[in-house]
Amino acid sequence: MSAVLAASWGRFRSVLPERAALAAMRDRPSDDLLAGLTVAIVALPLALGFGISSGLGATSGLATAVVAGALAALFGGSALQVSGTSGAMTVVLMPIMSAHGATGVLTVGLLAGLLLVGLALARAGRYMALVPAPVVAGFTVGMAGVIALQQLPHALGVPAHDSDKIAVVAWHAVMDFLSRPHWWAMSTTLTVAAVLLVVASVRPALPLSLVVVAAVTLVVELAGLPLARIGHLPAGLPAPSLAFLDLQVLPSLLAPAVAVAALAALESLLSAAVADNMTGHHRHDPDRELFGQGIANLVTPMFGGMPGTGAIVRTAVNVRSGAHSRLAALAHALILGAIVYLAAGLVAKIPLAALAGVLLATAVRMVEMDAVRAMFRSTRGDGLVLVLTAVATLTLDTVLAVILGLVVAGALALRAIARNVRLDQEPLRHDLQPQHTEDEHALLAEHIVTFRLDGPLFFAAAHRFLRELSDVTGVSVVVLRLRRVTTIDASGARALGDAIARLEKRGILVYVSGIPDDGHQPLEALGVIARLVQAGQVFATTGAAIEAARERLHASGIVPRLAG
């Protein structure tokens, strides 16, 4: 019992923040504080916009940015990760909000936090490296499309249609706009998006979004333009509470919680990897990152916040702004908290169309065209996976889209591996039996044929292997050379056994040589070579197998002995 407790405590200690990581916050505080301020300027309109898009409201988005941003910064596994609201999470939450209301979303966030902590303790973060690049790229493209379509009601100045299908919402928004155009809203959205995109193309590190939103808000106020605003915001975060928790509905919320946890894990670890690549020297701990996101999502719902995740855009801004430690992400959360307490009245006046422009520009910048073009230039399979994942993200559940991308990518990879499996017929080599005379070697070559199998003998290639080997005719002995087989699974072992049985049914003797060390277990478990071993037809080398076949042919009179 004590050993189990010690192991559990060791596992828990392994995901807690290291002292060195926390001590690093004292190294260059001025750089981190400046980076935190820059990220907060970028994060404020995004937090407001994503909170509104989710259906929970701007206050919920701010609570997530403050609470989840601070906790993930302290407990996460990346020194440069910035956490908060995200477009992908907003998409997942919309149908949950529609079916279960705000209390359902908060409960889902709490359950997702528990699942993320469990994944961290199970050390599941390492498996993130298995997600193929085309799946990541397709998911990003799809999410950019979803975020852009989400903004259409606010961009066109029409009420959002009550549907969890983003295509339906976008279609109704366009139809409503055409019936009664609202040019001020559309002009505001396009102006904000255009300014941000133009500035980003010239000075990508310049955090201009809050400045543009503030300027547009001032113009709209002075001109008295008829634009919808964010509306009332409480001057501060609500007191922590679990009043939303209803134990009776927990079973119905488990499936959505799994989807939210999966997305939070996927997006957070992707974002942390992006930060690592941008710096070249920072390396995140995936299990600690999952633990930090789990703690953040456990606590955030108590303050009315939506589930959060690592945010790629804000993390990238953090790195570009010179962040050195997790103090930058922590400072960003504290600055946003100060804004909530000190400037709630000013934030309430921001036009929804201006936030739609910020999110539209964000969606455009999410798509890295160089990476997308590289995927299409790589292989047709990579391009197919990217397109399928992007389309599925637009039309289906986001987690389901990633699963679909993984399945298709895996199937294509198996297909490519199966195509590389080779079964080559080889002439009988004289150098393997140099003691034979030329005449005897020529006579044996008429009756003995060797086949060399290269690559994995597994389910994806087993049937092709069976078909090719079973077609052998006109010989007395087949020698199978397996030394270059990299792996053998149950399907491959069974196919090998079936091929041997078919050859023997036609009177062809089968000898096997060079079985790899890890190939004995599946072959023995399925009884493929037991009979051949008993008959003395399994050998370590091809030369020994050919010599045994020669003696067998001589003994049976099929090949006469020649005087040497």
Side-chain angles (χ1 to χ4, degrees), residues 475-541:
V475 296
S476 301
V477 176
V478 168
V479 178
L480 295 178
R481 304 178 63 183
L482 303 184
R483 186 170 301 281
R484 296 190 182 182
V485 173
T486 56
T487 186
I488 303 176
D489 70 357
S491 298
R494 189 176 296 277
L496 180 62
D498 290 344
I500 292 172
R502 293 188 184 189
L503 290 172
E504 291 180 333
K505 190 175 181 180
R506 301 206 309 270
I508 300 175
L509 293 171
V510 178
Y511 287 76
V512 177
S513 71
I515 299 175
D517 293 339
D518 58 356
H520 286 279
Q521 182 175 347
L523 294 176
E524 292 171 357
L526 294 174
V528 173
I529 62 169
R531 183 173 45 78
L532 294 180
V533 171
Q534 292 176 356
Q537 294 171 218
V538 178
F539 296 89
T541 65

Side-chain angles (χ1 to χ4, degrees), residues 281-375:
H281 59 273
H282 280 274
R283 285 294 174 264
H284 74 283
D285 184 316
D287 295 325
R288 283 195 175 97
E289 184 59 32
L290 291 180
F291 182 77
Q293 295 298 332
I295 295 297
N297 280 289
L298 271 173
V299 178
T300 299
M302 302 178 192
F303 292 88
M306 58 189 281
T309 177
I312 295 177
V313 173
R314 275 152 281 181
T315 298
V317 171
N318 193 39
V319 175
R320 288 198 299 261
S321 301
H324 174 72
S325 73
R326 58 190 70 221
L327 177 60
L330 182 61
H332 129 273
L334 296 178
I335 292 169
L336 288 177
I339 292 174
V340 171
Y341 280 97
L342 301 177
L346 295 176
V347 173
K349 298 181 181 297
I350 296 176
L352 295 177
L355 291 181
V358 173
L359 296 180
L360 185 61
T362 300
V364 173
R365 294 186 65 190
M366 282 177 64
V367 180
E368 298 182 7
M369 292 307 301
D370 290 341
V372 172
R373 283 191 289 265
M375 295 298 168

Side-chain angles (χ1 to χ4, degrees), residues 12 49 63 107 138 198 352 369 393 433 521 546:
F12 181 72
T107 303
V198 170
L352 295 177
M369 292 307 301
T393 303
Q433 301 292 331
Q521 182 175 347
I546 294 174

Side-chain angles (χ1 to χ4, degrees), residues 393-455:
T393 303
L394 276 167
T395 57
L396 304 174
D397 178 79
T398 50
V399 175
L400 183 60
V402 173
I403 293 174
L404 176 63
L406 289 174
V407 170
V408 175
L412 291 174
L414 289 175
R415 179 169 173 262
I417 293 173
R419 284 183 169 181
N420 289 329
V421 176
R422 297 179 56 186
L423 181 68
D424 296 324
Q425 180 177 342
E426 297 180 324
L428 194 65
R429 291 165 51 189
H430 198 183
D431 62 312
L432 294 176
Q433 301 292 331
Q435 71 273 24
H436 297 170
T437 65
E438 292 289 345
D439 291 340
E440 185 178 21
H441 178 76
L443 188 59
L444 290 173
E446 295 178 6
H447 295 274
I448 301 176
V449 63
T450 63
F451 283 92
R452 188 186 70 205
L453 182 63
D454 287 352

Side-chain angles (χ1 to χ4, degrees), residues 59-250:
T59 303
S60 179
L62 283 173
T64 302
V66 174
V67 180
L71 291 174
L74 287 173
F75 290 97
S78 171
L80 304 176
Q81 176 91 284
V82 178
S83 299
T85 57
S86 76
M89 188 64 72
T90 299
V91 176
V92 174
L93 296 180
M94 288 174 63
I96 302 174
M97 181 69 182
S98 177
H100 302 283
T103 58
V105 173
L106 298 179
T107 303
V108 163
L110 189 72
L111 294 175
L114 286 172
L115 291 173
L116 288 169
V117 170
L119 288 173
L121 295 177
R123 297 178 180 173
R126 70 192 74 177
Y127 298 110
M128 182 59 214
L130 301 179
V131 179
V135 175
V136 176
F139 176 77
T140 304
V141 171
M143 285 313 310
V146 169
I147 293 171
L149 292 177
Q150 273 184 334
Q151 308 318 308
L152 282 182
H154 295 154
L156 301 178
V158 299
H161 185 75
D162 187 15
S163 174
D164 58 0
K165 302 296 184 184
I166 190 61
V168 174
V169 174
W171 172 259
H172 282 278
V174 173
M175 292 298 100
D176 290 346
F177 175 80
L178 293 177
S179 63
R180 42 188 176 85
H182 195 294
W183 299 109
W184 282 116
M186 187 177 70
S187 300
T188 300
T189 298
L190 293 178
T191 299
V192 171
V195 171
L196 293 179
L197 290 173
V198 170
V199 173
S201 65
V202 180
R203 297 285 299 276
L206 190 63
L208 198 63
S209 57
L210 186 58
V211 176
V212 174
V213 169
V216 169
T217 302
L218 180 62
V219 171
V220 169
E221 279 291 306
L222 294 176
L225 300 179
L227 294 175
R229 315 299 176 90
I230 289 177
H232 173 71
L233 290 175
L237 298 177
S241 171
L242 286 173
F244 61 86
L245 192 60
D246 185 356
L247 298 180
Q248 293 182 348
V249 301
L250 287 184

